[in-house]
Amino acid sequence: MYTAAFYDTKPYDKKWFDKLKGDYKIDIRYFESRLTPDTAVLAKGCDSVVAFVSDDLGKNTMEALKNIGIRTVAMRCAGLNNVDLQSAGDMRIYHVPAYSPSAVAEHAVALLLCVNRKIHKAWSRTRDHNFSLKGLVGFGLKGKTVGVVGTGKVGRAFIDICRGFGMKVIAYDAYPDKNFDVEYTDFRDLCRRAHVISLHCPLLKDTRHMIDKKALDIMQSGVYIINTSRGGLIDSDALLDAVQSGKVGGAGLDVYEEETEFFYEDVSDKVFTDEVLDVLLSQPNVIVTSHQAFLTEEALEAIARETLASLAADRDGKDSPNMVRRDAALKG
Ligand code: NAD
């Protein structure tokens, strides 16, 4: 039977893959380890590898996989920034381009509402029978300007929700869609005008640290920044300075640039060595979640279905809409 080696397995992944794998006649060997150049050998004898954003699919891993005869990698996520497509050569790479844009958009809104309306502070206070409202004043979203960077699937779902709140939406996209009804502007103008900025574009060479000191300097004082996209879009040192100076009024971060070291893991019993993240976490107006924006039952089911469908297409030599078009991805 066609067998896939499944890396960085978590119980919530296994639940849906186990439920659906019979429908696609795919066998799965689950490994808790992340995929790295050293663990690639675990896939020996399998037909393909299933990996995630937390896995290392750099040059050495790709070489190691090729050496044991693996020709297919199915990413059970949308982003490909951790996959060295150049080194993949003629390997077949699949991903799940759209599993639940609304899940990510809803999480972005949850972060915004939580940090703005101080829900996290209120929750810990009332648990301690402290019913004081001191320091819990938020601001209304109605009538405020939200700047959306990236008007793809998630950006649009986020815009829909913001419009429901009565917010004015402005957007920046490197490839604006003429047919999409939104006020597009350039990135600097968006930074200048928005009360809230939410990032929904991919991490690429030219988007790395797009939120840096220069961008933060021209933003409104007290701006809120939400990032559910990729941590590398924000220069974390510059963000921390801006939070500490009061330039940034609040930040909701589901992603962080050095996250692969500890996101998805319980490291609470270890000495924490990332000082920037540690100080960010300790700020009352910063909320960090552990790359969980996708984590709904609906999205997990869709990820499992799409990944298994990709593997079945790979086995049967059929086309799949989830196959990564290498020319387009490399250009990106
Ligand atoms: P998408 O491909 O549908 O949309 C991305 C948009 O970004 C496109 O409109 C594209 O034109 C635009 N873009 C490309 N290059 C740009 C640039 N240089 N500057 C500005 N805009 C640019 O992707 P999506 O499904 O909407 O996902 C958006 C991002 O969300 C993904 O890149 C991924 O990193 C992230 N994501 C996060 C989670 C999570 O759990 N936190 C889950 C899924 C996706």
Side-chain angles (χ1 to χ4, degrees), residues 201-243:
C201 66
L203 176 62
L204 306 166
K205 238 189 271 153
D206 57 331
T207 57
R208 178 169 290 281
H209 287 188
M210 69 194 305
I211 304 288
D212 58 3
K213 181 174 178 338
K214 249 175 36 200
L216 286 158
D217 279 348
I218 59 171
M219 288 178 195
Q220 305 219 0
S221 187
V223 64
Y224 271 51
I225 297 181
I226 307 298
N227 188 7
T228 53
S229 217
R230 285 294 180 264
L233 297 174
I234 298 183
D235 175 345
S236 315
D237 291 292
L239 177 68
L240 177 57
D241 287 346
V243 167

Side-chain angles (χ1 to χ4, degrees), residues 99 104 152-154 173-175 200 202 207 228-230 254 291 294:
Y99 40 88
V104 183
K153 294 172 286 295
V154 177
D173 195 300
Y175 309 95
H200 301 290
T207 57
T228 53
S229 217
R230 285 294 180 264
D254 186 49
H291 205 142
F294 71 100

Side-chain angles (χ1 to χ4, degrees), residues 113-118 133 135-141 144 224:
L113 288 173
C114 185
V115 74
N116 168 29
R117 302 304 298 268
K118 329 278 191 242
L133 297 183
L136 299 188
V137 180
F139 65 84
L141 296 178
K144 295 292 186 307
Y224 271 51

Side-chain angles (χ1 to χ4, degrees), residues 52-53 77-81 95-101 103-105 107 148-157 172-177 184 187 199-208 210 227-231 233 254-255 259 264 289-295 303 332:
F52 193 53
V53 289
C77 56
L80 292 163
N81 52 286
H95 70 147
V96 188
Y99 40 88
S100 181
V104 183
H107 193 77
V148 178
V149 180
T151 55
K153 294 172 286 295
V154 177
R156 286 174 199 220
Y172 165 69
D173 195 300
Y175 309 95
D177 177 357
Y184 279 109
F187 180 61
L199 304 179
H200 301 290
C201 66
L203 176 62
L204 306 166
K205 238 189 271 153
D206 57 331
T207 57
R208 178 169 290 281
M210 69 194 305
N227 188 7
T228 53
S229 217
R230 285 294 180 264
L233 297 174
D254 186 49
V255 285
E259 72 184 40
Y264 303 119
T289 51
S290 184
H291 205 142
Q292 72 175 68
F294 71 100
L295 202 62
I303 288 170

Side-chain angles (χ1 to χ4, degrees), residues 154-174:
V154 177
R156 286 174 199 220
F158 180 78
I159 287 171
D160 276 350
I161 301 173
C162 290
R163 285 185 169 147
F165 285 144
M167 299 184 85
K168 177 176 170 48
V169 180
I170 57 174
Y172 165 69
D173 195 300

